[in-house]
Amino acid sequence: MDWGFSCGASMCLLRQKEVQDIYGAAFPLSFQFWTGGKSWKVTVGIEYLSDNGQSVPLDGGEERFPLRLKVMSFPVALFYQIWMRDIYLAAGCGWSYSRYNERWEDLDLATTGQRWGPLFSFLAGCRLNPRWSVFAHIRHEPMPTGKSSLVVPEVKLGGVKIGAGIVFLI
């Protein structure tokens, strides 16, 4: 049985249009704990995102307000992994518990919440030596909030994440 840790960074793209208009692309950081055999891996992790944005006026006016979004997610996933010499490919799915806080910095307004949501991930990696490897991944994690806004029936803070990182096996 393998045990290991990974850390990495991603770029969150293809977000819900209304969220993308406010915040643009995002750059979450993550830390994962891995365990499992040669083919099956279980991961448990933590991901942090802090992002700045500007409100979008609904009346077409010019007035905008600065916003700050902080999201802390705790993903749990099961991966199936195949090896080709020192190269591996993995596909996985699971659930992520996300806590978020959006604050209007010039006003005394804040929205907070927490929700479970699905995640789907594909990754490819290369073993550098018996302990270290590098990987690249693409993950879809919609991060539903369960809340609505004036322009969208359900706000989803997540999206498609493309990233890379390093793995250390114990």
Side-chain angles (χ1 to χ4, degrees), residues 12-16 19-20 49 71 140-145 155-161:
C12 188
L13 304 168
L14 303 177
R15 297 165 113 178
Q16 189 174 38
V19 174
Q20 186 79 23
L49 166 68
V71 180
H140 181 257
E141 185 178 359
M143 274 193 240
T145 63
V155 177
K156 295 179 181 155
L157 297 174
V160 174
K161 298 174 185 174

Side-chain angles (χ1 to χ4, degrees), residues 27-30 46-50 68-73:
F27 302 93
L29 302 173
S30 64
I46 185 168
E47 185 173 86
Y48 179 73
L49 166 68
S50 180
R68 181 124 180 112
L69 175 67
K70 293 183 181 180
V71 180
M72 183 81 68
S73 297

Side-chain angles (χ1 to χ4, degrees), residues 134-152:
V134 293
F135 69 91
H137 72 90
I138 183 166
R139 183 166 92 189
H140 181 257
E141 185 178 359
M143 274 193 240
T145 63
K147 299 191 181 207
S148 62
S149 74
L150 294 173
V151 292
V152 88

Side-chain angles (χ1 to χ4, degrees), residues 2-156:
D2 292 332
W3 300 86
F5 299 93
S6 68
C7 60
S10 301
M11 184 186 321
C12 188
L13 304 168
L14 303 177
R15 297 165 113 178
Q16 189 174 38
K17 181 184 178 336
E18 293 77 11
V19 174
Q20 186 79 23
D21 289 346
I22 293 170
Y23 291 106
F27 302 93
L29 302 173
S30 64
F31 180 79
Q32 302 275 335
F33 171 74
W34 295 75
T35 188
K38 186 166 175 75
S39 296
W40 291 96
K41 303 283 187 197
V42 174
T43 67
V44 177
I46 185 168
E47 185 173 86
Y48 179 73
L49 166 68
S50 180
D51 206 359
N52 293 317
Q54 294 282 322
S55 65
V56 178
L58 297 177
D59 62 3
E62 294 297 318
E63 190 171 25
R64 292 181 175 252
F65 297 97
L67 301 169
R68 181 124 180 112
L69 175 67
K70 293 183 181 180
V71 180
M72 183 81 68
S73 297
F74 304 92
V76 177
L78 176 65
F79 283 87
Y80 181 74
Q81 181 173 287
I82 58 172
W83 284 87
M84 295 168 282
R85 293 187 156 202
D86 288 337
I87 305 294
Y88 58 91
L89 302 173
C93 62
W95 291 94
S96 183
Y97 176 74
S98 299
R99 299 176 61 111
Y100 60 89
N101 179 302
E102 181 182 55
R103 181 167 306 285
W104 293 62
E105 293 187 336
D106 290 350
L107 305 171
D108 191 23
L109 293 172
T111 302
T112 61
Q114 51 200 6
R115 289 283 292 221
W116 283 95
L119 70 89
F120 306 95
S121 185
F122 297 96
L123 64 91
C126 177
R127 182 172 35 212
L128 303 174
N129 64 42
R131 295 230 185 259
W132 291 96
S133 65
V134 293
F135 69 91
H137 72 90
I138 183 166
R139 183 166 92 189
H140 181 257
E141 185 178 359
M143 274 193 240
T145 63
K147 299 191 181 207
S148 62
S149 74
L150 294 173
V151 292
V152 88
E154 184 181 10
V155 177
K156 295 179 181 155

